[in-house]
C-alpha cells in the first residue's frame, strides 16, 4: 500500500530565508501524524506545498501517490484542509458555510452526513448563527466539518488548536481519533507539546529542519541524561540556584516542578538535593522526573542551537 | 496605600443582553503573578480591557494602581504596561526606534530611554538587535523585547495577554524568567495563557467561566480543592460544562 | 455549473448581509448623481457684469438689456475706465467685464465688425471659461438677431458645446461621467476588494484547495457585481432623464451595450488588481489611486480634456472612462449612431480585450508568494 503522504528532500526558500531544509518523511494510510514545532518552524509552508498551494524549490512530494505539482487537480478532490487561521465566511451561517463547501466539492451535506455527524450534532443548535459569532471551539469544529464534507482521504490540519482553550482542544483531539478510525490519514501541526502524545507518530520541526521522527513513546527514550524534578515554595530562587549548580546542565520550569537535566555522566541527584537544602530550601521536594516530549524537544533545540 | 494594586468589586460588563463579565471581584497584591484563565469567550479579554481603562464597566468598580478605572483612565494607563501576542512592536521600525517611540509616548527623555534600552538589552543579551528591524528577528526575541518595551516606563503593573503563544518551549521559559525577575522587583504581573503548565508558575490563578470567576487560589490549593493532578485537570473540570456552547 | 451557481449565491449573501456594502452599492450612485447634479453645479446664475460702454448708443443699450434680462448675468456696475472693471473683480462684485467699442451700434448695422472685448476674472479659470462662453453665446445670439454680421469672437471654442447643450447644463456632462465612475467603482474596486478579503480571511486558500477552477472563482465573484453595476448604470440614466431632464436621443440598445462593455472593462481591471493585491488595503489603495483619481481627473469628466497640457491629453487616451464618456455623450445628447461613435467603441473594445487577457493571465491556481 502506498503511503498517504510521501515527502522526499523537499526544499523551499523565501527571499532570504530557507523555510524548509531537505525535509523527508512518509505518513502511512490511516495514520495520525503530528508536526510539532513553534511558529516560524516551516509547518505552514510544508502544509501549503502538500495541499498544492505552493511550489517547492526542489524535492518530491506525493499525496495518495499523486504528485503535488503534476496531479494537483486530482489531489484537490481528495484532500481536506484546515488552514492556520479560522478560514470560514464569518457572515454566512453555520449551515450556509457547510452547504457552500459541500457544493463546491460537488457533493451535498446529506451524502456525507455520516462522517461529520458526531461533530455536527454539537453545531446543529447554532446552525442559523453566523460563523463569526461562534466561540473559538465551535468555529474550529465547523472548520473541521467543512474540511470533511467531501470525504477526503487525507486531512491536513494546520494548527487547528492554536488559541483554543484546553477543554475545546481535548475534545478536538478526540474527534481526530475517531476520524482516524475511519481510515483517514491525518497530518496535524501544533505548537502544544502535550498534544503530541495523542499522535501515532510525530516529527519535531524547528527552523525548517526535522529534528526527530518517532512515536511519542519512543521519542521519550531518545532523551539523554538524567532528569530530576524539584519544587519548593521559592521556585524562582530555586531555579536560579539549580542553574548555577555545577552538576546541572540545564533547568527549566515544568508546571508544578522544575526539571533539571544533569551534566553528562551524573546520574545521582541526591547530592544536589542536599546542596539545595543547605542553601535554605527546607521544603524541597525532589524525585526522578518522567521524560515528556517537551523535554526531548528542548534538548534537541539546545543541541541545534549550540 | 495598601499593597493591593488591583481591586475589582462586582465588576460587570454587558453587551446588549449578553453579560460578558458578571460581577467579578478579586484583589491582586503588589509583586504577585496573577494568572487569569478561562475558556475562549469566558470574558477574560473584556475584563482585562476594563482593568486597562480601555472599556468602561457597566456596573461595579475597580481600581488599578490606586486609580479608578472608570474615572481616572489616563492615570491608570500611565501606571500600567501592556503586551499582547498580537500587538507588540512595529515590524518596520528598528528595536531602538520602537523604544524611542514608546518612551516618547510616555513622556520619557531620549537619554533615559536609551539608557534603559541599553540596560535591558544587556540583561537579555540581545544588544546586537538594537538596530535590527523588528520583523527580521525571531519570534522568541520579539516577545522578550516586547516585554521589555512594556516595562520601559517602569509601570507597577503589567498586563500580558497570551504573551507566549506559538513560541518554542525554551523561549517560552526564558520569557517566564523575565516575568519572575520583574515580579521579584515588585512589579505585579497579570497574565492570561492557554498553556496550563504556565498556570502553575503563577502565585495565584483565577479561572473564569461564563463571565464569573469560578475558582481563585494558588495552583497548589486549586489542585487540592479539585482533587486534581494538574492545573490542566482543574481547568477541564471547571470549564467542561460550558465548552459545548 | 452547480459550483459556479453556489459561488454566485454565496457572493450575493455577502453583499446582502453587509450593510456598508449595500449602502455603497446602492446609495453611492444616487448620492453621486445628486451631488454632481445639484451641488457641484457649474452653471452660472446671476454673475455680476462690469460693463464699459464706450459708445452709449441704442444698440449698446439694447445689448445691455439683453444681458440684464438673462438668468446668468446682471449688470453690476457701469464703468468709464478699464481700471474700474479690475476694481470690480478685486472686490469680487463682478466676475466678468464687457467692453463695447465706440460706434458699436453704427458699426454693427453698417456691416463693420465691432470688437467686443470680454474679460473675466481668471482666478477661477474653469468658472471664467464657463462665464466667458455664456457671455459670448448671449452676445452672439443677440448680435446675430440684430444684424447679419458675424462677430469674430475671441472665444469660439465654447460654441460647439452649446449646439448640443444650449443651456450649458452641466448635469449633461456629469451623468455620463458618474455612470463611468460608478461602473468602475463597483466593478473594479468591489471585485478587487472582495477577492482581497478572501485572501485576508484565509478562505482563498480553501477555495484554491477545492476542486474549483480559477474561472469558477473569478466568474463567481464577478457575476454579482457585474449585474449590480449594470443595474446601477441604469439607475443613473433613469435619474438623469427624470430628475435632470437629460435627453435620450440615441438608441437604448447601444446605450445598454456600451454599459455592459464598460462593466467588463472595469471587472477586468478589478481582477487584475486583486491578483496582485493581497490585502483589502492594497486593493483599495490601488483602486483609488490607479483608477478613481485618473478617471475623475483625466477622463474629461470634471476637467475638459481640450484644456489639459498635451502630455495629459495623450495620457487621457489610456483612460477607459474617457472613451466611455464619449460614447455615452454621443448616444444620449447628440443621438449619434454607431456610424459616429464607432471609434471610441473600437478603442474601448481594444482596451477591454487587452485588460481581459492580462486579467486571465494574472490568475494563478496557486498562492502568490
Amino acid at each position: 500500500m502506498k503511503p498517504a503522504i510521501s515527502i522526499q528532500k523537499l526544499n523551499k526558500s523565501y527571499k532570504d530565508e530557507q523555510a524548509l531544509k531537505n525535509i523527508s518523511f512518509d505518513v502511512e494510510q490511516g495514520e495520525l501524524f503530528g508536526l510539532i514545532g513553534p511558529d516560524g518552524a516551516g509547518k505552514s509552508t510544508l502544509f501549503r506545498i502538500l495541499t498544492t498551494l505552493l511550489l517547492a524549490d526542489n524535492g518530491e512530494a506525493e499525496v495518495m501517490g499523486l504528485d503535488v505539482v503534476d496531479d494537483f487537480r486530482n489531489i484537490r478532490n481528495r484532500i481536506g484542509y484546515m488552514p492556520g487561521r479560522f478560514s470560514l465566511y464569518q457572515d454566512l451561517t453555520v449551515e450556509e458555510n457547510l452547504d457552500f463547501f459541500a457544493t463546491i466539492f460537488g457533493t451535498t451535506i446529506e451524502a456525507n452526513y455520516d462522517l461529520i455527524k458526531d461533530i455536527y450534532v454539537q453545531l446543529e443548535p447554532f446552525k442559523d448563527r453566523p460563523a463569526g459569532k461562534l466561540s473559538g471551539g465551535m468555529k474550529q469544529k465547523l472548520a473541521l466539518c467543512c474540511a470533511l464534507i467531501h470525504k477526503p482521504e487525507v486531512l491536513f490540519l494546520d494548527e487547528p488548536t492554536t488559541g483554543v482553550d484546553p477543554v475545546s482542544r481535548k475534545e478536538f483531539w478526540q474527534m481526530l481519533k475517531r476520524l482516524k478510525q475511519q481510515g483517514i490519514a491525518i497530518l496535524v501541526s501544533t505548537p502544544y507539546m502535550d498534544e503530541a502524545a495523542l499522535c501515532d507518530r510525530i516529527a519535531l520541526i524547528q527552523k525548517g529542519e526535522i529534528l526527530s521522527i518517532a512515536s511519542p513513546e519512543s521519542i521519550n527514550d531518545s532523551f539523554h541524561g538524567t532528569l530530576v524534578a524539584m519544587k519548593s515554595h521559592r521556585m524562582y530562587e530555586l531555579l536560579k540556584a539549580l542553574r548555577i549548580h555545577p552538576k546541572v546542565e540545564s533547568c527549566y520550569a515544568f508546571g508544578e516542578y522544575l526539571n533539571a537535566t544533569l551534566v553528562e555522566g551524573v546520574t545521582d541527584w541526591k547530592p544536589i538535593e542536599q546542596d539545595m537544602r543547605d542553601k535554605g530550601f527546607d521544603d524541597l521536594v525532589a524525585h526522578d522526573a518522567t521524560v515528556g516530549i517537551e523535554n526531548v524537544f528542548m534538548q534537541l533545540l539546545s543541541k541545534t542551537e549550540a | 496605600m495598601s499593597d493591593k494594586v488591583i481591586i475589582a468589586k462586582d465588576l460587570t460588563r454587558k453587551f446588549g443582553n449578553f453579560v460578558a463579565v458578571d460581577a467579578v471581584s478579586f484583589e491582586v497584591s503588589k509583586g504577585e503573578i496573577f494568572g487569569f484563565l478561562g475558556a475562549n469567550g469566558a470574558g477574560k479579554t473584556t475584563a482585562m480591557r476594563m482593568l486597562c481603562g480601555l472599556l468602561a464597566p457597566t456596573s461595579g468598580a475597580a481600581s488599578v494602581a490606586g486609580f479608578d478605572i472608570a474615572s481616572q483612565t489616563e492615570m491608570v494607563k500611565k501606571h500600567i504596561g501592556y503586551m499582547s501576542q498580537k500587538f507588540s512592536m512595529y515590524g518596520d521600525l528598528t528595536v531602538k526606534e520602537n523604544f524611542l517611540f514608546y518612551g516618547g509616548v510616555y513622556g520619557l527623555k531620549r537619554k533615559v530611554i536609551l539608557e534603559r534600552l541599553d540596560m535591558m538589552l544587556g540583561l537579555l543579551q540581545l544588544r546586537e538587535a538594537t538596530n535590527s528591524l523588528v520583523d527580521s528577528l525571531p519570534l522568541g526575541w520579539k516577545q522578550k523585547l516586547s516585554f521589555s518595551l512594556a516595562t520601559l516606563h517602569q509601570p507597577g503593573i503589567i498586563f500580558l495577554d497570551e504573551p507566549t503563544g506559538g513560541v518554542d518551549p525554551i523561549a517560552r521559559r526564558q520569557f517566564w524568567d523575565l516575568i519572575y525577575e520583574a515580579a521579584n522587583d515588585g512589579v505585579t504581573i497579570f497574565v492570561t495563557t492557554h498553556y496550563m503548565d504556565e498556570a502553575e508558575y503563577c502565585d495565584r490563578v483565577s479561572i473564569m467561566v461564563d463571565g464569573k470567576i469560578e475558582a481563585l487560589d494558588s495552583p497548589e490549593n486549586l489542585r487540592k480543592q479539585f482533587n486534581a493532578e494538574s492545573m490542566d485537570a482543574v481547568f477541564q473540570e471547571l470549564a467542561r460544562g460550558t465548552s459545548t456552547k | 455549473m452547480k459550483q459556479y451557481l453556489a459561488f454566485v449565491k454565496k457572493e450575493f449573501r455577502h453583499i446582502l448581509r453587509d450593510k456598508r456594502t449595500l449602502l455603497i452599492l446602492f446609495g453611492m450612485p444616487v448620492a453621486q448623481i445628486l451631488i454632481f447634479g445639484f451641488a457641484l453645479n457649474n452653471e452660472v446664475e446671476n454673475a455680476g457684469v462690469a460693463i464699459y460702454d464706450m459708445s452709449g448708443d441704442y444698440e449698446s443699450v439694447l445689448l445691455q438689456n439683453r444681458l440684464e434680462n438673462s438668468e446668468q448675468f446682471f449688470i453690476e456696475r457701469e464703468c468709464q475706465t478699464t481700471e474700474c472693471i479690475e476694481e470690480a473683480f478685486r472686490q469680487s462684485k463682478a466676475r466678468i467685464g464687457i467692453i463695447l467699442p465706440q460706434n458699436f451700434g453704427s458699426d454693427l448695422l453698417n456691416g463693420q465688425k465691432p470688437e467686443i472685448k470680454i474679460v473675466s476674472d481668471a482666478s477661477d479659470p474653469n468658472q471664467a471659461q464657463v462665464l466667458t462662453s455664456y457671455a459670448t453665446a448671449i452676445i452672439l445670439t443677440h448680435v446675430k438677431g440684430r444684424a447679419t454680421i458675424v462677430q469674430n469672437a475671441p472665444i469660439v471654442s465654447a460654441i460647439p458645446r452649446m449646439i448640443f447643450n444650449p443651456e450649458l447644463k452641466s448635469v449633461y456632462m456629469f451623468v455620463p461621467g458618474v455612470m463611468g465612475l460608478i461602473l468602475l467603482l463597483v466593478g473594479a474596486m468591489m471585485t478587487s476588494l472582495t477577492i482581497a478579503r478572501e485572501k485576508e480571511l484565509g478562505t482563498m486558500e480553501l477555495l484554491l484547495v477545492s476542486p474549483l477552477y480559477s474561472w469558477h472563482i473569478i466568474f463567481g465573484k464577478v457575476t454579482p457585481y457585474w449585474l449590480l453595476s449594470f443595474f446601477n448604470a441604469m439607475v443613473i440614466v433613469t435619474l438623469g432623464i427624470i430628475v435632470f431632464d437629460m435627453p435620450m436621443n440615441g438608441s437604448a440598445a447601444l446605450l445598454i451595450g456600451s454599459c455592459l462593455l464598460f462593466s467588463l472593462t472595469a471587472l477586468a481591471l478589478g481582477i487584475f488588481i486583486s491578483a496582485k493585491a493581497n490585502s483589502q488595503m492594497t486593493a483599495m489603495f490601488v483602486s483609488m489611486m490607479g483608477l478613481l483619481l485618473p478617471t475623475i481627473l483625466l477622463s474629461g469628466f470634471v476637467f475638459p480634456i481640450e484644456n489639459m497640457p498635451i502630455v495629459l491629453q495623450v495620457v487621457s487616451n489610456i483612460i477607459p472612462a474617457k472613451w466611455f464618456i464619449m460614447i455615452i455623450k454621443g448616444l444620449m445628447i447628440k443621438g449619434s449612431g454607431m456610424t459616429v461613435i464607432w471609434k471610441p467603441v473600437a478603442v474601448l473594445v481594444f482596451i477591454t480585450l487587452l485588460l481581459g487577457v492580462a486579467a486571465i493571465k494574472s490568475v494563478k491556481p496557486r498562492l502568490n508568494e
Side-chain angles (χ1 to χ4, degrees), chain C residues 84-96:
Chain C
C84 157
I85 296 178
E86 277 173 39
E87 186 58 29
F89 285 172
R90 254 194 295 280
Q91 295 167 353
S92 296
K93 294 275 162 96
R95 291 195 283 172
I96 194 167

Side-chain angles (χ1 to χ4, degrees), chain A residues 12-14 48 51-55 68-69 72-73 76-77 79 81 83 85-93 96 99-101 103-106, chain C residues 2-3 6-7 9-10 13-15 17-18 197-214 221 365-369:
Chain A
K12 173 78 187 173
S13 296
Y14 297 110
R48 287 180 173 154
T51 51
T52 75
L53 285 172
L54 275 185
L55 296 174
V68 289
V69 181
F72 75 96
R73 290 264 165 225
R76 289 181 184 184
N77 270 309
I79 59 169
Y81 173 45
R85 292 166 298 165
F86 174 69
S87 309
L88 295 171
Y89 298 102
Q90 318 255 358
D91 53 342
L92 299 189
T93 66
E96 284 166 352
D99 191 44
F100 173 70
F101 283 101
T103 316
I104 64 171
F105 277 94
Chain C
K2 214 172 165 189
Q3 293 161 318
F7 211 107
K9 192 162 91 184
K10 167 190 92 84
R13 280 189 173 135
H14 288 317
I15 296 169
R17 279 188 199 158
D18 185 5
R197 188 170 76 149
E198 300 246 9
K199 288 187 189 174
E200 262 179 31
L201 271 176
T203 42
M204 190 50 100
E205 277 187 53
L206 284 181
L207 296 179
L208 285 174
V209 164
S210 78
L212 289 181
Y213 281 79
S214 304
K221 276 270 164 208
R366 292 191 169 87
L367 289 176
N368 292 344
E369 283 182 24

Side-chain angles (χ1 to χ4, degrees), chain B residues 54-55 78 152 182 188:
Chain B
L54 301 174
L55 197 66
K78 243 182 212 169
L152 179 63
T188 307

Side-chain angles (χ1 to χ4, degrees), chain C residues 15-30:
Chain C
I15 296 169
L16 294 177
R17 279 188 199 158
D18 185 5
K19 301 239 160 50
R20 274 181 307 172
T21 314
L22 270 183
L23 197 70
I24 292 178
L25 280 178
F26 295 103
M28 195 171 58
V30 178

Side-chain angles (χ1 to χ4, degrees), chain B residues 158-244:
Chain B
I158 301 176
F159 289 87
L160 303 169
D161 193 3
E162 289 185 38
T164 54
V167 295
D168 71 64
I170 295 186
R172 211 148 65 77
R173 285 171 175 80
Q174 288 171 344
F175 190 87
W176 271 90
D177 287 350
L178 293 180
I179 295 181
Y180 279 130
E181 198 66 61
N184 246 5
D185 294 342
V187 178
T188 307
I189 309 281
F190 189 96
V191 58
T192 71
T193 180
H194 279 322
Y195 291 96
M196 284 305 122
D197 57 334
E198 292 186 349
E200 308 267 6
Y201 311 155
C202 301
D203 294 320
R204 280 192 310 151
V205 169
S206 78
I207 299 178
M208 243 181 133
V209 179
D210 287 346
K212 293 191 180 102
I213 289 185
E214 292 290 330
L216 200 176
D217 213 327
S218 69
E220 196 179 353
N221 290 342
L222 284 177
R223 266 182 272 117
K224 272 185 205 144
Q225 185 188 333
F226 288 88
N227 200 11
E229 249 177 44
S230 64
M231 276 308 293
D232 189 28
V234 173
F235 190 86
Q236 298 284 348
E237 172 80 28
L238 267 174
R240 177 158 298 275
T242 59
S243 68
T244 43

